[in-house]
Amino acid sequence: MNEVNMGQNPAVPLLVPRKGALYSFIFRLFKEKPLGAVGGVIFLLFLFCGIFADVLAPYGMNETNMLRRLEAPSLAHPMGTDHLGRDVLSRILIGAKLSMIVGFLAAGMATVVSIVLGIASGYFGKRTDMVIQRFVDAWMTFPDLILLIVVVSMIGPGIPQIVVVLALLYGIAGSRIIRGSVVSIRENLHTHAAQSMGARPLHILCYHILPNIMPVVIVLFTIRVGAVILTEAGLSFLGLGVPPPAPTWGSMLSGSGRTYMYLGPWLALAPGLCLTLVVYAINVFGDALRDLLDPRMKGSR
Amino acid sequence: MKASPETPMAREGSLLAVRELSVSFRSERGQVRALDHVSFEVEEGETLAIVGESGSGKSVTALSILRLLDDAGQIDNGSIEFEGRDLLHLDEPSLRHIRGDRIAMIFQEPMSSLNPVLTIGKQVAEPIRLHRKLPWSIALEQAAELLDRVSIPESRHRLKDYPHQFSGGMRQRVMIAMALACRPKLIIADEPTTALDVTVQAQILALLKRLTKELNSALILISHDLGVVARYADRVAVMYGGRIVEIAAAAALYKNPQHPYTEGLLASQPSLHSTPGERLQAISGQPPDMANLPPGCAFAPRCHYARAECRASRPPLEPVAPGHERACFGFE
């Protein structure tokens, strides 16, 4: 079996990624998951608006025009104006930026917290598992909203504290889901096989556990992005969110949107529809991503 | 009875020497003894088959050698000497150097022993990467050659495939390729063909046998099918109730079984000469309850020849002929 130790000159480069892997992935997305593709497009649009909000917004977010208050949508103001004569489209765009920042930061941090706790609990098991799970139990007995209200009323409203609290709330609760899948993967024969090949625990975690829980992680993350944006909107609605005059979709709904619902329904419709659309798009896109990235779902040749 | 005055050959310097190995498991019914003073040796390049029914301790033996018993299992006593080192006294890092490199294992279910989300190439290259610390390009090159050796066509292209694109037999070939990757001195195959159909079974065993011969690796072939291993093993150990009841060269064991259990197993095989419609012989009774073994010989309740002596005390494993040992007080 000497030839096994030869082969210094690979005739075919084996590790070069296939050219056009991204293109073929996008092609598959549109072909196999058209709904997910639509979700992806809306999601990208949302990101685009969020990133370039300051450039795209035709007016300043706090630019008032008392002569043009509560105007219905027109060419000059595609989404109308609010009770102070501010352009709703501009405020929606800036709101997209804030929602994006809060959503991604909090959901990302929450996912990291979930993975760390879930893996520590599920993979190492025994006493570690016991301690972590009892902590999670205790944490989950606090109502989310109460915790948020306590923190916000102690430190005051602001993006950093909201992001951190939301990340902890969703992260600790979500660790259960990660733990569950880690426990089932850990008992799979291939992790035992890896052990029998002399793999270190870290190697097993990185090559055998993590890739196998990726479908769960992706879904968890995308659902969280939606959930965090919604929770932030809810907090703003209660006046505990990102402080005014920064426009978030939640505060737009609860502030001028609710007060002037009959005089200017577009004030509530614009942020409400955007919120619904973006959250829905993210969820559909996440589902599609999970299915496509899982090699098991790929048809055999 | 063919008791021989000769002592068994002193197998100095064997590759693997398991001595007086006892393993027990915690269960809700207390400590259950899964292995009871099991001793055997494996020479370099030799194929030893371990045969027995479910729960007889075959897999526990295999896992103990690699020290991969789960937390409930505990090695109570004995030694496992491999290349002159006692595996029971090694720490985790040293064990990891042995696992996959010096001793490799092939598991029962090829369908689930491959990672579904990694390509075949990465998995076959894994032991090479772990033990030889070679860069990916060379490891994958070697993986392709390994796949060639286990007769997987178009190996280069198949490196990028995922396990679900392979059939059961092909996956077991991949597992064999992984086991051979570091040219181990000992390969433990735990029922490698149980999940496969009969024709594939023969191909896989023949392949395994041929490749271990080429590498001069020893092979421990675990099976519940005495008939299947007959052609491939040099020696056969028969296990019952956590003990070895008979161990001998394959030919001697088949021609001249010295334990009633082995005899029963051989007699229960259908033969080409039997007339159609003839009923197969069976060993009456149930496999023993490991949590509640009888005080005497574990096989006594099912044995036609059992005497009072058999029910009272356990027969030790003793030589009946050179290289042929059995644990029985003797039977007609």
Coordinates of all heavy atoms in Angstrom, one line a residue, chain A residues 135-212:
Chain A
F135 N -30.1 26.7 35.0 CA -30.0 28.1 34.9 C -31.0 28.6 33.8 O -31.7 29.6 34.0 CB -28.6 28.5 34.5 CG -28.5 29.9 33.9 CD1 -28.6 31.0 34.8 CD2 -28.2 30.1 32.6 CE1 -28.5 32.3 34.3 CE2 -28.1 31.4 32.1 CZ -28.3 32.5 32.9
V136 N -31.1 27.8 32.7 CA -32.0 28.2 31.6 C -33.5 28.2 32.1 O -34.3 29.1 31.9 CB -31.8 27.3 30.4 CG1 -32.9 27.6 29.3 CG2 -30.5 27.5 29.8
D137 N -33.8 27.1 32.9 CA -35.1 27.0 33.5 C -35.4 28.3 34.3 O -36.5 28.9 34.1 CB -35.2 25.8 34.5 CG -35.3 24.5 33.7 OD1 -35.7 24.5 32.6 OD2 -35.0 23.5 34.4
A138 N -34.5 28.6 35.2 CA -34.7 29.8 36.0 C -34.9 31.0 35.2 O -35.8 31.8 35.5 CB -33.5 29.9 37.0
W139 N -34.0 31.2 34.2 CA -34.1 32.4 33.4 C -35.4 32.5 32.7 O -36.0 33.6 32.6 CB -32.9 32.4 32.4 CG -33.0 33.5 31.4 CD1 -33.7 33.5 30.2 CD2 -32.3 34.7 31.5 NE1 -33.4 34.7 29.6 CE2 -32.6 35.5 30.4 CE3 -31.4 35.3 32.5 CZ2 -32.1 36.7 30.1 CZ3 -30.9 36.5 32.2 CH2 -31.2 37.3 31.1
M140 N -35.9 31.3 32.2 CA -37.1 31.4 31.4 C -38.4 31.6 32.3 O -39.5 31.8 31.7 CB -37.3 30.1 30.6 CG -36.3 30.1 29.4 SD -36.2 28.6 28.5 CE -37.8 28.5 27.7
T141 N -38.3 31.5 33.6 CA -39.5 31.8 34.4 C -39.7 33.3 34.5 O -40.8 33.7 34.8 CB -39.3 31.3 35.8 OG1 -38.1 31.9 36.4 CG2 -39.2 29.8 35.9
F142 N -38.7 34.2 34.1 CA -39.0 35.6 34.1 C -39.7 36.0 32.8 O -39.3 35.6 31.7 CB -37.7 36.4 34.1 CG -37.0 36.4 35.4 CD1 -35.8 35.7 35.5 CD2 -37.5 37.1 36.5 CE1 -35.1 35.7 36.7 CE2 -36.8 37.1 37.7 CZ -35.6 36.4 37.8
P143 N -40.8 36.7 32.9 CA -41.5 37.1 31.7 C -40.5 38.1 30.9 O -39.9 39.0 31.5 CB -42.7 37.9 32.2 CG -42.9 37.5 33.6 CD -41.5 37.2 34.1
D144 N -40.4 37.9 29.6 CA -39.5 38.7 28.8 C -39.7 40.2 28.9 O -38.8 41.0 29.1 CB -39.7 38.3 27.3 CG -39.3 36.9 27.0 OD1 -38.9 36.2 28.0 OD2 -39.4 36.5 25.8
L145 N -41.0 40.5 28.9 CA -41.3 42.0 28.8 C -40.9 42.7 30.1 O -40.4 43.8 30.1 CB -42.8 42.1 28.6 CG -43.2 43.5 27.9 CD1 -42.5 43.7 26.6 CD2 -44.7 43.5 27.7
I146 N -41.1 42.0 31.2 CA -40.8 42.5 32.5 C -39.3 42.8 32.6 O -38.9 43.9 33.0 CB -41.2 41.5 33.7 CG1 -42.6 41.1 33.6 CG2 -40.8 42.1 35.0 CD1 -43.6 42.2 34.1
L147 N -38.5 41.9 32.1 CA -37.1 42.0 32.1 C -36.7 43.2 31.3 O -35.8 44.0 31.7 CB -36.5 40.7 31.6 CG -35.1 40.3 32.2 CD1 -35.3 40.0 33.6 CD2 -34.6 39.1 31.4
L148 N -37.3 43.3 30.1 CA -36.9 44.4 29.2 C -37.3 45.8 29.9 O -36.5 46.7 29.9 CB -37.7 44.3 27.9 CG -37.1 43.4 26.9 CD1 -38.1 43.0 25.8 CD2 -35.9 44.1 26.3
I149 N -38.5 45.8 30.5 CA -39.0 47.1 31.1 C -38.0 47.4 32.3 O -37.6 48.6 32.4 CB -40.4 46.9 31.6 CG1 -41.3 46.8 30.4 CG2 -40.8 48.1 32.5 CD1 -42.8 46.5 30.7
V150 N -37.6 46.4 33.1 CA -36.7 46.7 34.2 C -35.4 47.3 33.7 O -35.0 48.3 34.2 CB -36.5 45.4 35.0 CG1 -35.3 45.6 36.0 CG2 -37.7 45.0 35.7
V151 N -34.8 46.6 32.7 CA -33.5 47.1 32.2 C -33.7 48.5 31.6 O -32.9 49.4 31.9 CB -33.0 46.1 31.2 CG1 -31.7 46.7 30.5 CG2 -32.6 44.8 31.8
V152 N -34.7 48.7 30.8 CA -34.8 50.0 30.1 C -35.1 51.1 31.1 O -34.6 52.2 31.0 CB -35.9 49.9 29.0 CG1 -36.3 51.3 28.5 CG2 -35.5 49.0 27.9
S153 N -35.9 50.8 32.2 CA -36.2 51.8 33.1 C -35.0 52.1 34.0 O -34.9 53.2 34.6 CB -37.5 51.5 33.9 OG -37.4 50.2 34.5
M154 N -34.1 51.1 34.2 CA -32.9 51.3 35.0 C -31.9 52.1 34.2 O -31.3 53.1 34.7 CB -32.3 50.0 35.5 CG -33.0 49.6 36.8 SD -32.6 47.8 37.2 CE -30.8 47.9 37.2
I155 N -31.6 51.7 33.0 CA -30.5 52.3 32.2 C -31.0 53.4 31.3 O -30.3 54.2 30.9 CB -29.7 51.2 31.4 CG1 -29.5 50.0 32.2 CG2 -28.4 51.8 30.9 CD1 -28.7 48.9 31.5
G156 N -32.3 53.3 31.0 CA -32.9 54.2 30.0 C -32.9 53.6 28.7 O -32.1 52.7 28.4
P157 N -33.8 54.1 27.8 CA -33.9 53.4 26.5 C -32.7 53.7 25.6 O -32.0 54.8 25.8 CB -35.1 54.1 25.9 CG -35.3 55.3 26.6 CD -34.7 55.2 28.0
G158 N -32.4 52.9 24.7 CA -31.2 53.1 23.8 C -30.9 51.8 23.1 O -31.3 50.7 23.6
I159 N -30.3 51.9 21.9 CA -30.1 50.7 21.1 C -29.2 49.6 21.8 O -29.6 48.5 21.8 CB -29.5 51.1 19.7 CG1 -30.6 51.8 18.9 CG2 -29.1 49.8 18.9 CD1 -30.2 52.2 17.5
P160 N -28.0 50.0 22.4 CA -27.2 48.9 22.9 C -27.9 48.1 24.0 O -27.8 46.8 23.9 CB -26.0 49.7 23.5 CG -26.0 51.0 22.8 CD -27.4 51.3 22.5
Q161 N -28.5 48.7 24.9 CA -29.1 47.9 26.0 C -30.3 47.0 25.4 O -30.4 45.9 25.9 CB -29.6 48.7 27.2 CG -30.4 49.9 26.9 CD -29.5 51.2 26.8 OE1 -28.5 51.1 26.1 NE2 -29.9 52.2 27.4
I162 N -31.0 47.5 24.5 CA -32.1 46.7 23.9 C -31.5 45.5 23.2 O -32.0 44.4 23.3 CB -32.9 47.6 22.9 CG1 -33.8 48.6 23.8 CG2 -33.9 46.7 22.1 CD1 -34.6 49.5 22.9
V163 N -30.4 45.8 22.4 CA -29.8 44.7 21.7 C -29.3 43.6 22.6 O -29.6 42.4 22.5 CB -28.6 45.2 20.8 CG1 -27.8 44.0 20.3 CG2 -29.2 46.0 19.6
V164 N -28.6 44.0 23.7 CA -28.1 43.0 24.6 C -29.2 42.2 25.3 O -29.1 41.0 25.4 CB -27.2 43.7 25.7 CG1 -26.8 42.8 26.8 CG2 -25.9 44.3 25.0
V165 N -30.2 42.9 25.8 CA -31.3 42.2 26.5 C -32.0 41.3 25.6 O -32.2 40.1 25.9 CB -32.3 43.2 27.2 CG1 -33.4 42.4 27.8 CG2 -31.6 44.0 28.2
L166 N -32.3 41.7 24.4 CA -33.0 40.8 23.4 C -32.1 39.6 23.1 O -32.6 38.5 23.0 CB -33.3 41.6 22.1 CG -34.5 42.6 22.2 CD1 -34.7 43.3 20.9 CD2 -35.8 41.8 22.7
A167 N -30.8 39.9 22.9 CA -29.9 38.8 22.6 C -29.9 37.7 23.7 O -29.9 36.5 23.4 CB -28.5 39.3 22.3
L168 N -29.8 38.2 24.9 CA -29.8 37.3 26.1 C -31.2 36.5 26.1 O -31.2 35.3 26.3 CB -29.6 38.0 27.4 CG -28.1 38.4 27.6 CD1 -28.0 39.2 28.9 CD2 -27.2 37.2 27.6
L169 N -32.3 37.3 26.0 CA -33.6 36.6 26.1 C -33.7 35.5 25.0 O -34.0 34.4 25.4 CB -34.7 37.7 25.8 CG -35.1 38.5 27.0 CD1 -36.1 39.6 26.6 CD2 -35.6 37.6 28.1
Y170 N -33.5 35.9 23.8 CA -33.7 34.9 22.7 C -32.6 33.8 22.7 O -32.8 32.6 22.4 CB -33.7 35.5 21.3 CG -35.0 36.3 21.1 CD1 -35.1 37.6 21.2 CD2 -36.2 35.5 20.8 CE1 -36.4 38.3 20.9 CE2 -37.4 36.1 20.6 CZ -37.5 37.5 20.7 OH -38.7 38.1 20.5
G171 N -31.4 34.2 23.1 CA -30.3 33.3 23.1 C -30.4 32.2 24.1 O -30.2 31.0 23.8
I172 N -30.8 32.6 25.3 CA -30.9 31.6 26.4 C -32.0 30.6 26.1 O -31.9 29.4 26.3 CB -31.0 32.3 27.8 CG1 -29.6 32.9 28.1 CG2 -31.3 31.3 28.8 CD1 -29.6 33.8 29.3
A173 N -33.2 31.2 25.7 CA -34.3 30.4 25.4 C -34.0 29.4 24.2 O -34.4 28.2 24.2 CB -35.5 31.2 25.1
G174 N -33.3 29.9 23.2 CA -33.0 29.1 22.0 C -32.0 28.0 22.3 O -31.9 27.1 21.5
S175 N -31.2 28.2 23.4 CA -30.2 27.2 23.6 C -30.8 25.8 23.8 O -30.1 24.8 23.5 CB -29.3 27.5 24.9 OG -30.1 27.4 26.0
R176 N -32.0 25.7 24.2 CA -32.7 24.5 24.4 C -32.8 23.7 23.0 O -32.6 22.5 23.0 CB -34.2 24.7 24.8 CG -34.3 25.0 26.3 CD -34.2 23.7 27.0 NE -34.0 23.9 28.4 CZ -35.1 24.1 29.3 NH1 -36.3 24.2 28.8 NH2 -34.8 24.3 30.5
I177 N -33.1 24.5 22.0 CA -33.3 23.8 20.7 C -31.9 23.3 20.2 O -31.8 22.2 19.7 CB -33.8 24.9 19.7 CG1 -35.2 25.3 20.2 CG2 -33.9 24.3 18.3 CD1 -35.8 26.5 19.5
I178 N -30.9 24.1 20.4 CA -29.5 23.7 19.9 C -29.1 22.5 20.8 O -28.6 21.5 20.2 CB -28.5 24.8 20.1 CG1 -28.9 26.1 19.4 CG2 -27.1 24.3 19.8 CD1 -28.7 26.0 17.9
R179 N -29.4 22.5 22.1 CA -29.0 21.4 22.9 C -29.6 20.1 22.4 O -29.0 19.1 22.3 CB -29.4 21.6 24.4 CG -29.2 20.5 25.3 CD -29.7 20.7 26.7 NE -29.6 19.5 27.4 CZ -30.5 18.5 27.5 NH1 -31.6 18.6 26.8 NH2 -30.3 17.4 28.3
G180 N -30.9 20.2 22.1 CA -31.7 19.0 21.7 C -31.0 18.4 20.4 O -30.8 17.2 20.4
S181 N -30.7 19.2 19.4 CA -30.1 18.6 18.2 C -28.7 18.2 18.5 O -28.3 17.2 17.9 CB -30.2 19.6 17.0 OG -30.0 20.9 17.4
V182 N -27.9 18.9 19.4 CA -26.6 18.4 19.7 C -26.6 17.0 20.3 O -25.9 16.1 20.0 CB -25.8 19.4 20.6 CG1 -24.5 18.8 21.1 CG2 -25.5 20.7 19.8
V183 N -27.6 16.8 21.2 CA -27.7 15.5 21.9 C -27.9 14.4 20.9 O -27.3 13.3 20.9 CB -28.8 15.6 23.0 CG1 -29.1 14.2 23.4 CG2 -28.3 16.4 24.2
S184 N -28.8 14.7 19.9 CA -29.2 13.6 19.0 C -28.0 13.4 18.0 O -27.7 12.2 17.6 CB -30.4 13.9 18.2 OG -30.2 14.8 17.1
I185 N -27.3 14.4 17.6 CA -26.1 14.2 16.7 C -25.0 13.5 17.5 O -24.3 12.7 16.9 CB -25.6 15.6 16.2 CG1 -26.7 16.4 15.5 CG2 -24.4 15.4 15.2 CD1 -27.1 16.0 14.2
R186 N -24.8 13.9 18.7 CA -23.7 13.3 19.5 C -23.9 11.8 19.6 O -22.9 11.0 19.6 CB -23.7 13.9 20.9 CG -22.5 13.4 21.7 CD -22.7 13.8 23.2 NE -23.9 13.1 23.8 CZ -24.3 13.4 25.0 NH1 -23.8 14.3 25.7 NH2 -25.4 12.7 25.4
E187 N -25.1 11.3 19.6 CA -25.3 9.9 19.7 C -25.3 9.2 18.3 O -25.4 8.0 18.2 CB -26.6 9.6 20.4 CG -26.6 9.9 21.8 CD -25.4 9.4 22.6 OE1 -25.0 8.2 22.3 OE2 -24.8 10.1 23.4
N188 N -25.1 10.0 17.2 CA -25.0 9.4 15.9 C -23.7 8.6 15.8 O -22.7 8.9 16.4 CB -25.0 10.4 14.8 CG -26.4 10.8 14.4 OD1 -27.4 10.3 15.0 ND2 -26.5 11.7 13.5
L189 N -23.8 7.5 15.0 CA -22.6 6.7 14.9 C -21.4 7.4 14.3 O -20.3 7.1 14.7 CB -23.0 5.5 14.0 CG -22.2 4.2 14.2 CD1 -22.1 3.8 15.7 CD2 -22.8 3.1 13.4
H190 N -21.6 8.4 13.5 CA -20.4 9.0 12.9 C -19.6 9.8 13.9 O -18.4 9.9 13.7 CB -20.8 9.8 11.6 CG -21.7 11.0 11.9 ND1 -21.2 12.2 12.4 CD2 -23.0 11.2 11.8 CE1 -22.2 13.0 12.5 NE2 -23.3 12.4 12.1
T191 N -20.2 10.3 15.0 CA -19.4 10.9 16.0 C -18.6 9.9 16.7 O -17.4 10.1 17.1 CB -20.2 11.8 16.9 OG1 -21.4 11.0 17.3 CG2 -20.7 13.1 16.3
H192 N -19.2 8.7 17.0 CA -18.4 7.7 17.6 C -17.3 7.2 16.7 O -16.2 6.9 17.1 CB -19.4 6.5 17.9 CG -20.3 6.8 19.0 ND1 -19.9 7.1 20.3 CD2 -21.7 6.9 19.0 CE1 -21.0 7.3 21.1 NE2 -22.1 7.2 20.3
A193 N -17.6 7.1 15.4 CA -16.6 6.7 14.4 C -15.5 7.7 14.4 O -14.3 7.3 14.4 CB -17.2 6.6 13.0
A194 N -15.8 9.0 14.5 CA -14.7 10.0 14.5 C -13.9 9.8 15.8 O -12.6 9.9 15.7 CB -15.3 11.4 14.5
Q195 N -14.5 9.5 16.9 CA -13.8 9.2 18.1 C -12.8 8.0 17.9 O -11.7 8.0 18.4 CB -14.8 8.9 19.2 CG -14.7 9.8 20.4 CD -15.7 9.3 21.4 OE1 -16.8 8.8 21.1 NE2 -15.3 9.5 22.7
S196 N -13.4 7.0 17.3 CA -12.5 5.8 17.1 C -11.4 6.1 16.2 O -10.5 5.3 16.1 CB -13.4 4.7 16.6 OG -13.5 4.7 15.2
M197 N -11.4 7.2 15.4 CA -10.3 7.5 14.6 C -9.3 8.4 15.3 O -8.3 8.9 14.7 CB -10.8 8.2 13.3 CG -11.4 7.3 12.3 SD -11.9 8.1 10.8 CE -12.9 9.4 11.3
G198 N -9.6 8.7 16.5 CA -8.6 9.5 17.3 C -8.8 11.0 17.2 O -7.9 11.8 17.4
A199 N -10.1 11.4 16.9 CA -10.3 12.8 16.8 C -10.5 13.4 18.2 O -11.1 12.8 19.1 CB -11.6 13.1 16.0
R200 N -10.0 14.7 18.4 CA -10.1 15.4 19.6 C -11.6 15.9 19.7 O -12.2 16.1 18.7 CB -9.2 16.5 19.7 CG -7.7 16.1 20.0 CD -6.9 17.4 20.1 NE -7.0 18.3 18.9 CZ -6.4 18.1 17.8 NH1 -5.6 17.1 17.6 NH2 -6.6 18.9 16.8
P201 N -12.0 16.2 21.0 CA -13.4 16.7 21.1 C -13.6 18.0 20.3 O -14.7 18.1 19.7 CB -13.5 17.0 22.6 CG -12.5 16.1 23.2 CD -11.4 15.9 22.3
L202 N -12.6 18.9 20.2 CA -12.8 20.1 19.5 C -13.0 19.8 18.0 O -13.9 20.4 17.3 CB -11.6 21.0 19.6 CG -11.8 22.4 19.1 CD1 -12.8 23.2 19.9 CD2 -10.5 23.2 19.1
H203 N -12.2 18.8 17.5 CA -12.4 18.4 16.1 C -13.8 17.9 15.8 O -14.4 18.2 14.8 CB -11.3 17.4 15.8 CG -11.4 16.8 14.4 ND1 -10.6 17.3 13.4 CD2 -12.2 15.9 13.8 CE1 -10.9 16.6 12.2 NE2 -11.9 15.8 12.5
I204 N -14.2 17.0 16.7 CA -15.6 16.4 16.6 C -16.6 17.5 16.6 O -17.6 17.5 15.8 CB -15.8 15.4 17.7 CG1 -14.9 14.2 17.5 CG2 -17.3 14.9 17.7 CD1 -15.0 13.2 18.6
L205 N -16.5 18.5 17.5 CA -17.4 19.6 17.5 C -17.5 20.4 16.2 O -18.5 20.6 15.7 CB -17.0 20.6 18.7 CG -17.5 20.2 20.1 CD1 -17.1 21.3 21.0 CD2 -19.0 20.2 20.1
C206 N -16.3 20.7 15.7 CA -16.2 21.5 14.5 C -16.6 20.8 13.2 O -17.2 21.3 12.3 CB -14.8 22.1 14.3 SG -14.4 23.2 15.6
Y207 N -16.3 19.5 13.1 CA -16.5 18.8 11.9 C -17.8 17.9 11.9 O -18.3 17.6 10.9 CB -15.3 17.9 11.5 CG -14.2 18.7 10.9 CD1 -13.3 19.3 11.8 CD2 -14.0 18.9 9.6 CE1 -12.2 20.1 11.3 CE2 -13.0 19.7 9.1 CZ -12.1 20.3 9.9 OH -11.1 21.0 9.4
H208 N -18.1 17.5 13.1 CA -19.2 16.5 13.1 C -20.5 17.1 13.8 O -21.6 16.7 13.4 CB -18.8 15.2 13.8 CG -17.8 14.5 13.0 ND1 -18.1 13.6 12.1 CD2 -16.4 14.6 13.0 CE1 -17.0 13.1 11.5 NE2 -16.0 13.7 12.1
I209 N -20.3 17.9 14.8 CA -21.6 18.4 15.4 C -22.0 19.7 14.7 O -23.2 19.8 14.3 CB -21.3 18.7 16.9 CG1 -20.7 17.5 17.6 CG2 -22.5 19.2 17.6 CD1 -21.6 16.6 18.3
L210 N -21.2 20.7 14.6 CA -21.6 22.0 14.1 C -22.2 21.9 12.7 O -23.3 22.4 12.5 CB -20.4 23.0 14.1 CG -20.4 24.0 15.2 CD1 -19.2 25.0 15.1 CD2 -21.7 24.8 15.4
P211 N -21.5 21.3 11.7 CA -22.1 21.2 10.4 C -23.5 20.6 10.4 O -24.4 21.0 9.6 CB -21.2 20.4 9.6 CG -19.9 20.4 10.3 CD -20.2 20.6 11.8
N212 N -23.7 19.6 11.3 CA -25.0 18.9 11.3 C -26.1 19.7 12.0 O -27.3 19.4 11.8 CB -24.8 17.6 12.0 CG -24.4 16.5 11.1 OD1 -25.1 16.2 10.1 ND2 -23.1 16.1 11.2

